[in-house]
Amino acid sequence: MKNILTRVLIFTIITTLTSCANDELTPLYGTEKNQPGKVVITGYSALSDSIQITVNGKLVEIGKEKRTAFVKKIEKEYDFVYHGNEEKVFEFTNKVTKELLRTYHFSADKPQDTLSFYAKENVWLDKVLLLKPGVLSAPANCGFKFIFPTMNLYTKTAYTGKLDGIIRKINGQVLGVAENINKEQYSSFIQFPFSSPPTIIMELVKHGTTESYVPGKKITINMTMSVNKSKLIILEEKRDANGAFSAVEGTLNLMDYFVFK
């Protein structure tokens, strides 16, 4: 009887261990799905300090010289392998100050992806290549879209709504209004025939009004028309030597830095 009980006990233990092996201890080797990935980086940095890029903590090498820091233009096809559900974390850091400027996350849900940006002091525009410059509808026209990422940086106004840009010739003739200028998205497209002299003046007002967004101060921007050209203008608040707001400039045109398809 004792032998029978012993055999039953041993059989029970073996059965339990076998069950555990099937349910909990199944080898995981080879179960990860690996697939190639690629992120095409296209950017331009006008920052005074160079930028470094890391992917999951590893520095990205750029160009034939295998530089790990860059200024101005960067074009890089970064190839790697996704391991299962692993994310690829791209971090952009100021090399001198070590400040983390931007972080991007990519996954195998979209193994082929793009990363484009424009960077300058107080300005970082993402997904630049997804922007669509306005299409001119007639020969000898010129056109504009505007974005204002530094709005209220120095003016410190309470107004955070959208702006309109009333565009005039230097003789006061109104050429049109660029509507819905804001910090995140480009305004509506405005176009008009080129004429000489090419200088035009744009007045910034609260959307749907003729009221300045800066109380008690008329904000105007001098710009230049270019025949048969469509521009993507970044508006910038400027300050004087004492740090006080001085003007808004509109000289930065993204069409000078990127090729848009």
Side-chain angles (χ1 to χ4, degrees), residues 43-111:
Y44 190 94
S45 173
L47 295 169
S48 56
D49 296 328
S50 59
I51 288 178
Q52 291 185 309
I53 307 172
T54 60
V55 180
N56 289 14
K58 180 181 178 182
L59 281 170
V60 173
E61 296 178 342
I62 302 162
K64 295 181 180 179
E65 307 86 358
K66 294 187 176 182
R67 293 176 289 115
T68 58
F70 72 91
V71 293
K72 298 185 178 180
K73 190 174 183 179
I74 174 176
E75 292 181 335
K76 173 72 176 180
E77 291 189 3
Y78 189 79
D79 296 286
F80 48 84
V81 174
Y82 282 112
H83 302 287
N85 295 323
E86 172 197 30
E87 272 194 334
K88 295 296 182 181
V89 181
F90 285 63
E91 293 184 328
F92 287 68
T93 305
N94 183 308
K95 183 180 180 181
V96 176
T97 66
K98 308 305 179 184
E99 176 190 1
L100 179 62
L101 303 171
R102 278 297 185 279
T103 301
Y104 302 90
H105 297 264
F106 297 91
S107 72
D109 292 338
K110 189 178 180 182

Side-chain angles (χ1 to χ4, degrees), residues 23 28 30 41 76 90 124 126 132 140-141 144 148 157 182 201 207 209 227 231 237:
D23 296 339
L28 299 177
I41 305 171
K76 173 72 176 180
F90 285 63
W124 189 293
D126 283 320
K132 299 297 181 184
N141 271 11
F144 296 87
F148 198 0
T157 73
N182 62 86
I201 301 170
H207 177 58
T209 75
V227 64
K231 297 182 178 182
E237 283 193 355

Side-chain angles (χ1 to χ4, degrees), residues 146-153 155 157-166 177-188 202-215 217 219 221 235-237 245 248:
F146 302 93
I147 193 169
F148 198 0
T150 60
M151 178 182 170
N152 286 330
L153 178 63
T155 53
T157 73
Y159 182 75
T160 58
K162 296 179 179 179
L163 303 176
D164 292 340
I166 304 172
V177 179
E179 297 184 325
N180 298 315
I181 301 172
N182 62 86
K183 300 177 75 167
E184 284 80 30
Q185 295 179 323
Y186 268 84
S187 67
S188 60
M202 183 170 72
E203 180 183 357
L204 288 178
V205 296
K206 296 178 181 178
H207 177 58
T209 75
T210 58
E211 179 186 352
S212 174
Y213 83 100
V214 181
K217 181 173 289 190
I219 306 300
I221 305 158
L235 300 177
E236 300 177 86
E237 283 193 355
F245 169 73
V248 176

